[in-house]
């Protein structure tokens, strides 16, 4: 079980029980409770809204003041508490060079650094379209990308997020890396064409067009059962695709959360594996499956995207689509095949558009010029305004809250994210504690909300035969937000460590501790000046390892992680 202990000194947390097993608990009744009313924690919620203000030609309008803006939440005007005009710059990042220190923080360039991240979604994209997406990416990178521009490329597959190129490397290297990216021939979600080719029906309910008043023969019942099995499997595949897609978005959000300012996330895909209702931003029912059990994950994904100030730029890599005629693979197209395919295409594009507008980005579809989407995503984060207001905690109704930003200036275009979720799942960090820690342990990305440095200390003979005792230190930079002044200087931190083989296999269960304390004024001062250090150890057999270090602030939900190689001889 999780070990909980008090803070025993000003700055350093000594792990006297460093070998205790960290167990992820099952969801509690609190996590499953009805979200009709929101129960706020004691912390104040600041809602930040990156806002683009341009003329009709797309040029940034500078020099606006706070008084020129009006922010509305669900139609009610909000008092703007923070305001800044930001001009970002293109400077690449660099990593610390101490061979025994591993940090999730990147150095280099001014504080307002521009970040562009491209995700090639291979889960929801047919193989032939993956090739098209790669071709347009190469075209953009070779013709348009600034060599100083921090640009990263990830791929999303059934095994998770994979880093092809990170922010610290020359974009010219990305061009070479992209040439080596291979597609995935078995994307998860079958299209209606795929289902029809396998079952001979496009029916969403498995009825196979059988007259309900007719007497079913054995063959008819068997055929229906086969079609039901295929459609049920399609539903299962869709659920997997939704889960993997949302998990990928969450990991990217956590990785970018520690960098200030607006970030552009280009999501190159064949579409999302769900549809979205534009008036509530809830997951819309998809066929026979209500998807209600993945709704908490969906809402948490939105929270992380908003907290990281990510603007989503979905790019439909299928390009220009003008025909809905069945392909040769469809042996028995239904009577309404063309209409259903046309509806599916419009639903996909509507979801891309809704997802983009709700984050302040733009969607690109039904075009053979995908390069424009890549260029716009970088350009949009160059100059913008950052507005902030404090959430009215007296309004406890749960759900999607719409945002609108207006400017007292004629002939301008204003673009900002148009809403956010307020539910118990999004305002109470305890709801996502287990999933956040598990995600950080498994993800190849470093989570950056908390600045973290891990370093190896001594390696000594262990008490167990054939094992070595490996000491380590986790150091958190000075961070006033770790301490909740309103609750008698309350601090709750989770420290978790997991060792893996080079093949990614876990060596043992995660080990860690939860440290909780109400600090004296002297300890508060020390932590704010020097940060927090946590010392622990692992017992490992000789070999090569990658160790994930994770720390989570359980009062705010912020999380930091970093991976470190280790050789035990």
């Amino acid at each position: 079980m999780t070990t909980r202990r008090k803070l025993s000194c000003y700055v350093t947390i000594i792990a006297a029980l460093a070998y205790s097993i960290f167990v992820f608990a099952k969801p509690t009744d609190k996590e499953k409770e009805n979200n009709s009313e929101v129960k706020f924690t004691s912390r104040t919620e600041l809602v930040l809204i990156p806002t683009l203000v341009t003329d009709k030609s797309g040029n940034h309008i500078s020099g606006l003041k706070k008084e020129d803006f009006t922010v509305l939440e669900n139609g009610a005007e909000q008092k703007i508490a923070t305001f800044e005009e930001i001009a970002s710059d293109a400077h690449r990042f660099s990593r610390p060079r101490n061979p025994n220190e591993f940090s999730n923080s990147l150095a280099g360039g001014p504080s307002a650094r521009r970040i562009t991240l491209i995700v090639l979604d291979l889960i929801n994209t047919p193989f032939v379209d993956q090739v098209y997406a790669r071709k347009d990416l190469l075209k953009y990178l070779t013709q348009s990308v600034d060599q100083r521009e921090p640009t990263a490329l990830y791929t999303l597959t059934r095994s998770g997020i994979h880093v092809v190129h990170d922010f610290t490397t020359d974009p010219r290297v990305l061009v070479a890396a992209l040439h080596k990216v291979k597609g995935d021939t078995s994307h998860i979600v079958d299209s209606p064409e795929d289902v029809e080719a396998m079952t001979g029906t496009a029916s969403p309910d498995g009825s196979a067009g059988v007259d309900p008043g007719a007497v079913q023969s054995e063959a008819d019942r068997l055929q229906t059962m086969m079609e039901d099995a295929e459609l049920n499997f399609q539903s299962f595949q869709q659920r997997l695709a939704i889960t993997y897609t949302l998990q990928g978005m969450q990991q990217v959000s956590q990785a970018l959360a520690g960098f200030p300012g607006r970030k552009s996330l280009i999501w190159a895909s064949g579409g999302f594996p769900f549809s979205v209702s534009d008036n509530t931003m809830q997951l819309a029912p998809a066929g026979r499956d209500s998807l209600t059990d993945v709704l908490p994950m969906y809402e948490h994904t939105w929270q992380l995207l908003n907290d990281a100030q990510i603007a989503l730029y979905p790019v439909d890599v299928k390009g220009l689509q003008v025909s809905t005629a069945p392909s040769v693979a469809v042996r028995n197209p239904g009577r309404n095949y063309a209409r259903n395919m046309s509806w599916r295409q419009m639903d996909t594009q509507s979801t891309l558009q809704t997802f983009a507008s709700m984050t302040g980005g733009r969607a690109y579809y039904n075009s053979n010029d995908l390069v424009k989407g890549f260029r716009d995503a970088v350009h949009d984060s160059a100059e913008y305004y950052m507005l902030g207001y404090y959430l009215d905690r007296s309004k406890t109704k749960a759900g999607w809250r719409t945002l609108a930003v207006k400017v007292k200036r004629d002939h301008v275009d204003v673009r900002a994210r148009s809403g956010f979720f307020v539910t118990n799942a999004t305002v109470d960090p305890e709801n996502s504690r287990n999933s956040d820690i598990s995600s950080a342990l498994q993800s190849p990305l470093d989570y950056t909300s908390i600045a973290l440095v891990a370093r190896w200390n001594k390696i000594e003979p262990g008490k167990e035969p054939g094992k070595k005792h490996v000491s380590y230190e986790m150091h958190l930079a000075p961070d006033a937000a770790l301490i909740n002044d309103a609750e008698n200087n309350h601090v709750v931190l989770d420290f978790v460590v997991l060792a893996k083989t080079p093949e990614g296999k876990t060596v043992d269960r995660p080990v860690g501790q939860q440290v909780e304390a109400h600090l004296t004024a002297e300890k508060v001062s020390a932590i704010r000046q020097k940060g927090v250090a946590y010392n622990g150890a692992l017992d490992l057999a000789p070999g090569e390892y990658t160790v994930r270090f994770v720390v989570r602030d359980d009062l705010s939900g912020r999380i930091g992680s970093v991976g470190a190689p280790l050789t035990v001889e």
Side-chain angles (χ1 to χ4, degrees), residues 291-539:
L291 306 177
T292 54
D293 59 327
V294 298
L295 187 58
M297 175 184 287
Y298 174 76
E299 293 176 350
H300 187 45
T301 302
W302 272 101
Q303 175 202 7
L304 293 176
L305 286 169
N306 289 337
D307 289 348
Q309 299 163 35
I310 289 175
L312 195 63
Y313 291 76
V315 176
D316 186 354
V317 300
K318 295 191 295 294
L320 185 63
Q321 301 177 57
V322 295
S323 175
T324 56
S327 70
V328 294
V330 181
R331 57 183 171 86
N332 186 24
R335 181 173 53 186
N336 299 319
Y337 177 86
R339 185 181 65 182
N340 291 338
M341 286 297 291
S342 178
W343 177 87
R344 176 184 174 89
Q345 180 177 329
M346 289 189 294
D347 182 62
T348 297
Q349 294 174 356
S350 175
T351 294
L352 295 179
Q353 180 63 49
T354 301
F355 230 76
S357 65
M358 295 300 177
T359 61
R362 287 192 263 192
Y364 296 86
Y365 50 82
N366 206 24
S367 170
N368 287 332
D369 182 17
L370 304 183
V371 173
K372 185 180 187 302
F374 302 139
R375 290 193 182 120
D376 288 347
V378 176
H379 178 264
D380 284 351
S381 289
E383 296 175 292
Y384 58 95
Y385 295 89
M386 184 68 76
L387 313 177
Y389 72 93
Y390 289 105
L391 198 64
D392 185 351
R393 299 160 66 85
S394 66
K395 298 178 181 178
T396 60
K397 184 177 180 180
W400 178 258
R401 298 193 182 180
T402 60
L403 287 175
V405 178
K406 298 182 179 181
V407 176
K408 299 172 184 176
R409 184 75 64 91
D410 294 331
H411 310 299
V412 299
D413 289 328
V414 180
R415 180 150 46 90
R417 63 185 177 98
S418 56
F420 59 99
F421 275 112
V422 177
T423 67
N424 286 320
T426 60
V427 299
D428 185 357
E430 183 64 25
N431 283 289
S432 60
R433 172 178 174 264
N434 297 333
S435 61
D436 286 348
I437 294 175
S438 179
S439 173
L441 290 173
Q442 299 302 326
S443 176
L445 309 181
D446 293 340
Y447 292 2
T448 60
S449 288
I450 298 177
L452 170 66
V453 175
R455 59 177 64 94
W456 299 115
N457 292 327
K458 295 185 295 184
I459 299 181
E460 304 172 306
K463 295 182 179 179
E464 297 183 51
K467 290 191 175 183
K468 296 293 183 70
H469 190 69
V470 183
S471 301
Y472 62 82
E473 178 183 314
M474 300 167 63
H475 183 263
L476 279 59
D479 187 348
L482 293 175
I483 303 168
N484 188 354
D485 300 336
E487 291 187 349
N488 191 24
N489 297 330
H490 195 196
V491 175
V492 185
L493 297 172
D494 270 315
F495 295 90
V496 192
V497 180
L498 177 66
K500 299 181 181 180
T501 65
E503 297 76 26
K505 183 179 180 181
T506 57
V507 177
D508 203 342
R509 288 176 290 179
V511 297
Q513 288 182 290
Q514 184 182 81
V515 180
E516 181 174 11
H518 291 277
L519 305 177
T520 64
E522 188 177 12
K523 291 182 179 181
V524 168
S525 176
I527 288 178
R528 287 179 173 170
Q529 290 180 25
K530 300 180 181 180
V532 175
Y534 175 91
N535 292 286
L538 296 169
D539 286 322

Side-chain angles (χ1 to χ4, degrees), residues 6 8 87 123 383 416 460 519 561:
K6 298 293 183 180
S8 58
I123 288 179
E383 296 175 292
E460 304 172 306
L519 305 177
S561 69

